[in-house]
């Protein structure tokens, strides 16, 4: 059964003290907001507005491009300036809708709903779909798809991923401290979709204040429980989380629903709550701005489409020029070369580091020490897989479970020879995934 | 576009542990044994150590000059040199010690591709090379401090041995192998620092003791087993040589197989072989079988097999 932890994993410097104690503040966007049409996994959304149209905050400006897709909403009122490719945080050019902010923040008029309990399953998933909700922990998988498994009766656990194992990030922590009722409320709504399910709030034990607060709120809820998980990266990884809370195991070819689980991140659950009860689509999120290069690390409520540069400005900017700027956490986030790109539904954090540890270290030969094997949560042999990848031995890579890598980065982190193990495995996985799609 | 920042693939942080740090820790962990060797055998032991370390480091440096690659900063040559010295008798001619260092680094390590590519433990391979080439000098354990046979040879000849002396290390033998206490202190340092674990030493020693108990002719007599445990290169080999990262299996189960194999081979060599020693050859032989052991002990990824649902197609 549940062991509240998993085998492998690492304990990096967590840097959460930098930003965890400041209450969430609002950031007002600048004059121009950019809404990429691909902020999620799946088909890009299709723009339904054109240049010159006036839009309101909360108005749908692009509709889902398929079942696995999500609509996009404007987070401000203003005029559509253009629909054109724009650079996004990953460095790619993505078709985007550009809205000129009129500074009025006039919204479409959100309709709160009171009779949530009486709503049918299809109605609720439709609201979630229309609200454009996607997994906000970083992956961006459309939530309505996750909530529509083939056999809803066979779902035993709905898990709210409150682990926040990624170093430096504190946005989920602040959410849990400031709006725990919305988290619990959202979880109850999702639980309503699955008649046989129990709800689990899975929190790492480095957040005792969240645990006790959530325990108070769920005391009278027989179907809800809080689990204190051992603090270890990547405890919030989907496979590790399911194992730690239920003792069930999934591999890369399976979905959580295959073992009767549904997992959603804190911000996603809150977004579900707001969409269903308040009628508000997904148009803002909490972003942690932190790192030793930032003047005043803190958490911000950001309207999607605001640029990273504007969010950084709210945190006082950089105290010195950082060597590296990361979108997300230091373990799984990606580095950005420019800050004038929009935040999206999946922007968890902006991290500015004065020193780039990676560039300062010269990779040496593998000494076969086995540290990567010890920390790998996928229980595979990263050093060998990286070898297969660099020799382009596809057969050996796949036969030795190379596709099971979750790219958590533990192996590269721990490697005393400073070898880029995750990176080599990741590129080979991309090649293999691309071949499968053909 | 504004100012540009550096980009690279995740993760963006690295642990502080580096290869040379690990090597340095091994050197530190060998210090009790080395120090006791000098105390036990006199200053010539220090001379042997200096010669082997100088020889291994210089060989690697010169090879690095030829290949235009400076590799001695990883400190692995120092570890090899020190381990080699601890495996030599104090009376060995210094030129032989130096030759052993050259063999360890040049033939066993660098010619196979340098650190991480050697398939045998360089120090042990050099010891075996010297044993075969200069058997008399390599087994001359008479010195100023001690005369007569090593405890294991005495044990094999059916004589009484003083186990307490063996544990403390006041016996004849190679420079670094005699003191169980000094080696245990070093092993504890390595274990506490997380550099080695007990899989290999534990399964090695345990399987050897069981073998010695079954076939040694003394049954499970505690004093006989204690003498077998404390004598010869077993402690040095089990904690410092068999655990060498490069030449042991990387898989967890493979490490147990490796340890048990070493225990059995050491038992066979010591009890049925012509000599009293067997650790060096057992480890070298085990090193050669590492790829095979790894092949049959490859782990099953998380989510497959027991507890997982679907199997690999």
């Amino acid at each position: 059964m549940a062991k509240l932890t998993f085998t492998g994993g690492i304990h990096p410097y967590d840097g959460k003290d930098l930003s965890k104690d400041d209450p969430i503040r609002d950031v007002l966007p600048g004059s121009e907001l950019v809404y990429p049409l691909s902020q999620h996994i799946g088909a890009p959304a299709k723009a339904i507005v054109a240049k010159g149209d006036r839009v309101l905050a909360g108005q749908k400006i692009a509709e889902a491009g398929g079942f696995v897709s999500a609509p996009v909403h404007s987070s401000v009122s203003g005029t559509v300036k253009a629909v054109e490719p724009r650079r996004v945080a990953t460095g790619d050019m993505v078709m985007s809708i550009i809205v000129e902010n009129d500074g009025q923040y006039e919204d479409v008029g959100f309709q709160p709903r009171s009779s949530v309990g009486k709503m049918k399953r299809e109605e609720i998933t439709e609201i979630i779909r229309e609200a454009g909700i996607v997994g906000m922990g970083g992956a961006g998988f459309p939530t309505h798809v996750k909530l529509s498994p083939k056999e809803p009766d066979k779902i035993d656990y709905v898990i709210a991923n409150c682990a926040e194992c990624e170093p430096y990030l504190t946005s989920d922590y602040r959410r849990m401290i400031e709006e725990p009722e919305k988290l619990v409320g959202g979880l109850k709504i999702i639980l309503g979709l699955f008649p046989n399910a129990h709800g689990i709030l899975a929190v790492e034990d480095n957040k005792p204040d969240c645990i006790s607060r959530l325990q108070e709120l769920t005391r009278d809820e027989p179907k809800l429980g809080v689990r204190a998980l051992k603090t270890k990266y990547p405890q919030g990884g989907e496979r590790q989380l399911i194992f730690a809370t239920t003792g069930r195991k999934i591999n890369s070819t399976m979905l959580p629903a295959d073992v009767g689980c549904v997992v959603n991140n804190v911000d996603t659950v809150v977004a579900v709550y707001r969409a269903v009860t308040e009628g508000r689509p997904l148009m803002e999120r909490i972003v942690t701005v932190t790192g030793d290069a930032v003047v005043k690390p803190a958490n911000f409520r950001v309207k999607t489409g605001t640029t990273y540069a504007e969010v950084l400005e709210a945190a006082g900017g950089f105290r010195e020029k950082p060597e590296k700027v990361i979108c997300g956490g230091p373990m799984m986030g990606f580095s950005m070369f420019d800050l004038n790109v929009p935040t999206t539904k999946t922007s968890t954090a902006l991290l500015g580091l004065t020193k780039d540890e990676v560039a300062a270290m010269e990779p040496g030969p593998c000494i076969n020490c086995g540290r990567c094997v010890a920390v790998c949560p996928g229980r595979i042999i990263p050093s060998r897989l990286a070898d297969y990848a660099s020799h382009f031995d596809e057969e050996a890579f796949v036969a030795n479970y190379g596709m099971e890598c979750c790219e958590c980065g533990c192996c590269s982190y721990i490697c005393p020879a400073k070898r880029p193990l995750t990176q080599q495995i990741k590129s080979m996985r991309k090649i293999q995934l691309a071949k499968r799609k053909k | 576009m504004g100012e540009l920042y550096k980009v690279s693939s995740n993760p963006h942080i690295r642990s502080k542990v580096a290869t040379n740090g690990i090597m340095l820790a091994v050197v530190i962990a060998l210090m009790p044994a080395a120090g006791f060797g000098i105390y036990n055998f006199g200053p010539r032991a220090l001379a042997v150590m200096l010669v082997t370390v100088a020889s291994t480091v210089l060989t690697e440096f010169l090879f690095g000059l030829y290949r235009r690659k400076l590799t001695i900063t990883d400190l692995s040559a120092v570890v090899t040199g020190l381990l080699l010295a601890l495996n030599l008798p104090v009376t060995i001619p210094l030129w032989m010690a130096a030759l052993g260092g050259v063999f360890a680094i040049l033939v066993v390590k660098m010619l196979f591709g340098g650190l991480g590519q050697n398939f045998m433990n360089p120090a042990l391979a050099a010891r075996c090379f010297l044993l075969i080439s200069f058997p008399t000098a390599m087994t001359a354990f008479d010195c100023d401090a001690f005369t007569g046979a090593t405890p294991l040879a005495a044990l094999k000849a059916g004589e009484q041995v003083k186990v307490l002396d063996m544990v403390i290390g006041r016996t004849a033998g190679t420079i670094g192998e005699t003191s169980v206490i000094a080696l245990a202190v070093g092993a504890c340092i390595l274990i506490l620092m997380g550099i080695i674990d007990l899989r290999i030493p534990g399964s090695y020693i345990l399987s050897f003791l069981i073998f010695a108990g079954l076939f040694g002719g003394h049954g499970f007599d505690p004093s006989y087993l204690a003498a077998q445990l404390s004598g010869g290169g077993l402690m040095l080999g089990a904690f410092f040589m068999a655990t060498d990262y490069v030449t042991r299996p990387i898989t967890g189960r493979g490490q147990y197989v490796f340890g048990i194999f070493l225990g059995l081979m050491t038992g066979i060599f010591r009890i049925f072989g012509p000599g009293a020693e067997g650790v060096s050859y057992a480890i070298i032989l085990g090193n050669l079988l590492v790829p095979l052991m790894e092949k049959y002990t490859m782990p099953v990824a998380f989510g497959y097999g027991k507890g997982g649902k679907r199997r690999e197609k």
Side-chain angles (χ1 to χ4, degrees), chain A residues 186-198:
Chain A
L187 189 57
K188 276 157 78 177
I189 292 170
I190 298 174
L191 214 48
L193 303 174
F194 306 107
N196 302 319
H198 281 261

Side-chain angles (χ1 to χ4, degrees), chain A residues 324 330 369 384 404 418 426, chain B residues 8 10 12 248 294 304:
Chain A
K324 205 175 221 176
C369 69
R384 298 292 156 86
E404 290 303 313
K418 313 299 166 195
K426 202 169 154 179
Chain B
S8 69
N10 73 307
H12 307 287
R248 59 110 175 89
E294 283 182 346
Y304 289 95

Side-chain angles (χ1 to χ4, degrees), chain A residues 122-365:
Chain A
E122 291 73 21
E123 276 179 78
I124 292 178
T125 48
E126 179 59 19
I127 291 169
I128 291 168
R129 194 181 81 87
E130 272 302 298
I133 297 174
V134 302
M136 291 163 78
F141 189 76
T143 303
H144 69 273
V145 182
K146 244 185 203 183
L147 298 182
S148 314
K150 277 185 202 123
E151 296 167 297
D153 296 352
K154 289 200 175 159
I155 298 298
D156 304 321
Y157 298 102
V158 175
I159 304 168
N161 186 351
C162 319
E164 198 163 52
C165 61
E166 180 81 50
Y168 290 96
L169 306 198
T170 54
S171 57
D172 289 350
Y173 171 80
R174 286 311 312 174
R175 263 288 199 220
M176 285 187 273
I177 289 292
E178 295 182 26
E179 299 176 306
E181 324 74 37
K182 289 184 180 165
L183 172 62
V184 173
L187 189 57
K188 276 157 78 177
I189 292 170
I190 298 174
L191 214 48
L193 303 174
F194 306 107
N196 302 319
H198 281 261
I200 296 175
L201 293 142
V203 194
E204 273 192 346
D205 57 13
N206 61 353
K207 307 182 230 331
D209 38 357
C210 295
I211 294 172
S212 54
R213 188 81 184 87
L214 290 171
Q215 271 168 343
E216 274 168 42
L217 284 172
T218 54
R219 190 165 296 145
D220 302 323
E221 305 283 349
K223 292 187 92 177
L224 283 183
V226 181
R227 294 275 196 291
L229 308 177
K230 294 213 175 88
T231 301
K232 183 163 72 169
Y233 177 87
Q235 183 60 77
E238 197 168 63
R239 293 175 219 171
Q240 284 67 49
L241 192 75
I242 291 174
F243 180 70
T245 50
T246 69
R248 300 178 183 188
K249 287 181 175 178
I250 59 169
N251 59 47
S252 70
T253 65
M254 300 161 77
L255 293 172
D258 292 342
V259 291
C261 293
V262 169
V263 183
N264 284 295
N265 155 274
V266 174
D267 237 9
T268 316
V269 178
V270 172
V272 166
Y273 176 83
R274 302 193 76 183
V276 177
T277 61
E278 299 172 8
R280 295 172 69 96
L282 178 55
M283 47 187 221
E284 60 179 39
R285 63 159 300 131
I286 311 296
V287 178
T288 307
V289 183
T290 187
D292 58 355
V294 176
V295 175
K296 273 183 281 175
N299 286 288
F300 298 97
R301 187 173 287 105
V302 175
K303 295 187 187 303
T304 55
T306 311
T307 68
Y308 281 97
E310 286 155 2
V311 183
L312 174 67
E313 209 48 51
F318 290 130
R319 66 173 83 235
E320 59 179 292
K321 186 176 190 290
E323 278 195 355
K324 205 175 221 176
V325 178
I326 297 156
C327 172
M331 290 303 296
M332 287 192 83
F334 47 87
S335 46
M336 298 197 288
F337 55 85
D338 185 20
L339 289 178
N340 291 309
V341 291
T343 55
T344 65
K345 297 171 184 177
T346 58
S347 304
T348 50
L350 176 68
L351 176 61
L353 299 174
T354 51
K355 290 212 172 55
D356 184 5
E357 293 180 11
V358 180
M361 286 164 177
E362 186 69 23

Side-chain angles (χ1 to χ4, degrees), chain B residues 75-100:
Chain B
L75 299 183
S76 60
V78 179
V79 173
T80 302
L82 193 55
L83 276 175
L84 176 59
L86 298 185
N87 276 291
L88 297 176
V90 70
T91 50
I92 188 150
L94 293 181
W95 68 269
M96 280 185 200
L99 181 66

Side-chain angles (χ1 to χ4, degrees), chain B residues 7 18 27 50 62 127 133 137 154 181 200 203 228-229 233 237 251 274 289:
Chain B
V7 290
V27 171
L50 292 178
L62 292 176
R127 185 194 185 200
S133 311
I181 292 178
I200 292 174
S203 55
Q228 280 287 2
L229 180 67
T251 60
L289 294 176

